[in-house]
Amino acid sequence: MTAIHNPRNLIALAAVCLSSMMFGLEISSVPASLPALERVLQGDFQDLQWVMNAYTIAVTSVLMAAGTLADRFGRKRLFVISLALFGLTSLLCGLATSMPAMIAGRFLQGAAGGVMLICQVAVLSSQFSDPAERVRAFAAWGVIFGIGLGFGPIIGSAIVALASWQWVFLVHGPIALLTLALAQYGAVESRDPDAVKLDLGGMLSLSLAVLGTVFYITQGAELGFTSPAALAILLGSLVCLAAFIAIERRVPHPMFDFSVLRIRAFAGAMFGSAGMNVSFWPLMIYLPVYYHGVLGYDDVKAGWSLLAYTLPTLVVPPIAERLAQRFQPGWVIPGGLLVIGAGFFLMLWGSAADNASWLTLLPGCVLAGIGLGMTNTTVTNTSTAAVPSARAGMASSIDMSARMISLALNIAVMGLILLWGVDAGLPGVDDGERLQRAATIASGQLGSDDPERARAALVQGFGWVLGYGGISAWLFAVGSFLVFGAQRTTGRRLEVARS
């Protein structure tokens, strides 16, 4: 009997897939609930950013530590604990009555989600010993994870429209209970007898560096970017970053081994990872603002409109894998980033068109989704294949951490650019009120004083965001292409030699 047909393995696979769907939904469905959160919990523009960033920063904080803890104390045990905590923290978010409570709940939820994500990989790796069956298990996990990400916007919008925003979070309670029962029965416990010591110093210094930088970007406009308080936060973040680099160079078993960056394929893939997260993924937070504030769509129509942005990411990866095998990842990853950038510029044109609608944004949304589909899976496969198999877990953790750090930073950066763009479109407004007015409009609330001018300012701000995303994707495409350079040449020579 093969491993995949073992009933316990099938049950464990179901648990892992359900947990991956929850993790994906929590990234892509929550943006659809942000307008409702803003109304009900009386949040401002910065609060909405922190609802997303608290989750991604917390995931980043625990990712690398989670692998070490799972190896030492048991992968199944930590998976079960993380599932229980994810369900409980989701309930905390759903029951929040204020923005501070919501942001705190999201941080705790992200910490549980980060541990859960690493444990998914660890459980599958230990549960399926046969290489062929392991590939099939990971393929199923990837598909379900992609469905959670791809259909999250419409699922979140439908929940908000048919029930309430609370159920975007509360729905994870019963799903977590079911997943917990499946994991408890199906998953087999495993440990690594040679597990290394937890790199606590590296984990704390990196987390504080990211948190401080995001805080400086999001709150800088209010504090004053050159004010003593803001500069102190920025300096503290830089000190923490320097401490992280120093710690990782000295500890015997670093959670971030900088030596892997000398491997061209790995470094080129990391450019691709960062390129996706300065463009495609953070825009998912701000697209609903455009659909609500500029086009006047309700939650469900905005969610349906977002499907054009996310569905191609589910369809294209199998094609991208074949392209990577034939033409080398050094062509496919930069090519995917170039396509994302082109999609952003098409959306820029569509968003500013006369009688703009979801149809004028459709070509750009689809093109950006195709580019993401070309890049996403290829980056993961390339980064893990570029290092020895014994270090694949570390490589995967670096890849995921790079994604979450760049996502957290660029949610903040895109928000700041949106704010600046809206502010520049409000001439004649008193300077004392201008920033507050711009922040209100940037969150999608046009107000009743001069809604047409507010709408035009929001269109301009959104255009600035799209321009930033498009240019950034192309710059990272160039960087990835250049870093891959020798790798492409080597691959081509090998193909010629084989023929």
Side-chain angles (χ1 to χ4, degrees), residues 148-398:
L149 285 171
F151 284 89
I154 186 59
I155 291 172
S157 299
I159 290 174
V160 171
L162 299 175
S164 66
W165 67 265
Q166 287 94 336
W167 281 100
V168 172
F169 303 99
L170 295 177
V171 69
H172 295 297
I175 297 176
L177 278 177
L178 173 61
T179 309
L180 186 63
L182 292 173
Q184 189 66 45
Y185 177 78
V188 175
E189 186 61 279
S190 63
R191 293 180 178 83
D192 181 0
D194 301 318
V196 299
K197 185 179 178 182
L198 180 63
D199 183 8
L200 188 61
M203 182 180 74
L204 289 176
S205 56
L206 179 61
S207 302
L208 290 173
V210 175
L211 179 63
T213 305
V214 170
F215 190 87
Y216 175 79
I217 296 170
T218 55
Q219 307 300 132
E222 185 176 338
L223 293 173
F225 286 104
T226 58
S227 68
L231 291 176
I233 292 169
L234 180 60
L235 179 61
S237 301
L238 293 174
V239 169
C240 288
L241 179 60
F244 170 71
I245 295 172
I247 290 169
E248 297 309 290
R249 288 185 177 280
R250 291 187 177 185
V251 295
H253 301 287
M255 68 179 189
F256 194 119
D257 186 350
F258 289 99
S259 66
V260 298
L261 296 178
R262 300 193 193 105
I263 304 172
R264 280 185 173 269
F266 185 88
M270 289 302 96
F271 267 90
S273 181
M276 292 184 294
N277 289 288
V278 300
S279 54
F280 187 92
W281 290 119
L283 186 67
M284 189 178 287
I285 313 302
Y286 299 106
L287 264 177
V289 173
Y290 178 86
Y291 286 130
H292 286 285
V294 175
L295 302 183
Y297 291 172
D298 60 20
D299 292 331
V300 173
K301 192 170 183 180
W304 279 111
S305 300
L306 281 168
L307 281 180
Y309 193 65
T310 57
L311 280 184
T313 67
L314 305 181
V315 178
V316 176
I319 301 171
E321 288 182 19
R322 288 195 287 272
L323 289 173
Q325 290 173 0
R326 183 172 181 180
F327 298 108
Q328 300 291 321
W331 292 101
V332 176
I333 292 174
L337 294 179
L338 287 174
V339 174
I340 292 173
F344 269 61
F345 287 114
L346 264 181
M347 282 189 280
L348 175 58
W349 171 82
S351 66
D354 294 334
N355 301 315
S357 70
W358 69 273
L359 281 173
T360 60
L361 265 70
L362 180 64
C365 285
V366 171
L367 196 61
I370 290 172
L372 192 283
M374 290 175 59
T375 310
N376 194 31
T377 304
T378 313
V379 163
T380 300
N381 292 342
T382 304
S383 62
T384 52
V387 300
S389 58
R391 307 175 78 189
M394 182 270 297
S396 179
S397 295
I398 291 176

Side-chain angles (χ1 to χ4, degrees), residues 418-462:
L418 177 62
L419 189 64
W420 282 346
V422 171
D423 182 65
L426 292 173
V429 178
D430 181 73
D431 287 343
E433 301 176 0
R434 193 164 178 165
L435 183 61
Q436 184 60 44
R437 175 78 170 131
T440 301
I441 295 171
S443 65
Q445 298 182 44
L446 302 185
S448 57
D449 294 339
D450 194 348
E452 283 306 311
R453 185 167 70 169
R455 181 180 179 277
L458 185 54
V459 170
Q460 175 173 296
F462 192 71

Side-chain angles (χ1 to χ4, degrees), residues 4 9 13 16-17 124-125 127-128 131-143:
I4 199 75
N9 285 356
L13 178 60
V16 168
C17 287
L124 285 184
S125 298
Q127 194 91 20
F128 295 92
E133 303 300 342
R134 183 181 297 174
V135 167
R136 293 178 191 172
F138 271 101
W141 170 72
V143 168

